[in-house]
Amino acid sequence: MTAMNSQAQLFTTLAQTQVRLTKNMDRKLSAHGISLSEFLVLHQLSDTPEQVMSRVALAEAIGLTASGVTRLLNPMEKNHLVEKEKNSRDARVSLVKLTETGQTIYQEALVSFNHSAEMVAQGLTSSQVNQLIGLFGKLK
């Protein structure tokens, strides 16, 4: 039987950590009626000019497929967090716009998100946090 090399152990540890952190953040954000994936959509839209993105760009930004982001956006549209917007230059491009309700929910959820993120990193110095950010950015 072949043992895992250190890179495989790193991958396994990262995957397990990601699952644990996602579950924890989903629980915290559920108080605002959204999941972590929905929060990431709201964050991306809130962070763009005019709070509008194409579905394809949004999917790329949050790490989902185009069909995955469409499935995620459908209930968000029903809950008035986002809305479809027509692209005046190309009718084939589907745009997503953050609504006023979505912006309000995002701002409220951001407080919980920031607090939870602080709790996750409470045992680390700001230098260690920055070092981790740099190291994770190098992973392919």
Side-chain angles (χ1 to χ4, degrees):
M1 181 177 209
T2 304
M4 258 193 224
N5 61 31
S6 58
Q7 290 83 359
Q9 289 175 332
L10 171 64
F11 184 87
T12 302
T13 300
L14 286 172
Q16 291 168 339
T17 302
Q18 185 267 336
V19 167
R20 188 177 71 252
L21 293 175
T22 298
K23 282 183 180 181
N24 182 39
M25 194 60 80
D26 273 334
R27 276 195 303 276
K28 302 291 185 191
L29 293 173
S30 70
H32 302 280
I34 60 173
S35 67
L36 177 57
S37 295
E38 291 167 325
F39 175 84
L40 294 174
V41 166
L42 297 176
H43 174 71
Q44 286 299 318
L45 290 171
S46 180
D47 212 29
T48 60
E50 299 177 32
Q51 301 179 330
V52 175
M53 290 179 80
S54 74
R55 286 181 185 244
V56 172
L58 185 56
E60 179 71 25
I62 65 170
L64 289 177
T65 63
S67 62
V69 85
T70 297
R71 284 190 301 276
L72 181 62
L73 290 172
N74 286 336
M76 293 180 75
E77 287 179 66
K78 289 178 185 168
N79 291 327
H80 308 288
L81 301 175
V82 297
E83 62 188 13
K84 292 178 186 173
E85 188 171 270
K86 294 189 181 195
N87 185 339
S88 58
R89 287 187 242 148
D90 188 347
R92 297 169 298 173
V93 176
S94 180
L95 298 176
V96 181
K97 181 173 177 58
L98 185 64
T99 64
E100 191 174 314
T101 300
Q103 181 64 31
T104 299
I105 295 293
Y106 170 70
Q107 290 300 320
E108 292 169 356
L110 183 58
V111 173
S112 297
F113 184 87
N114 284 336
H115 181 261
S116 294
E118 288 169 6
M119 299 310 299
V120 165
Q122 69 183 354
L124 302 172
T125 66
S126 56
S127 175
Q128 289 171 322
V129 169
N130 289 331
Q131 185 179 14
L132 279 172
I133 291 168
L135 290 170
F136 289 148
K138 291 182 178 186
L139 298 176
K140 295 182 185 201

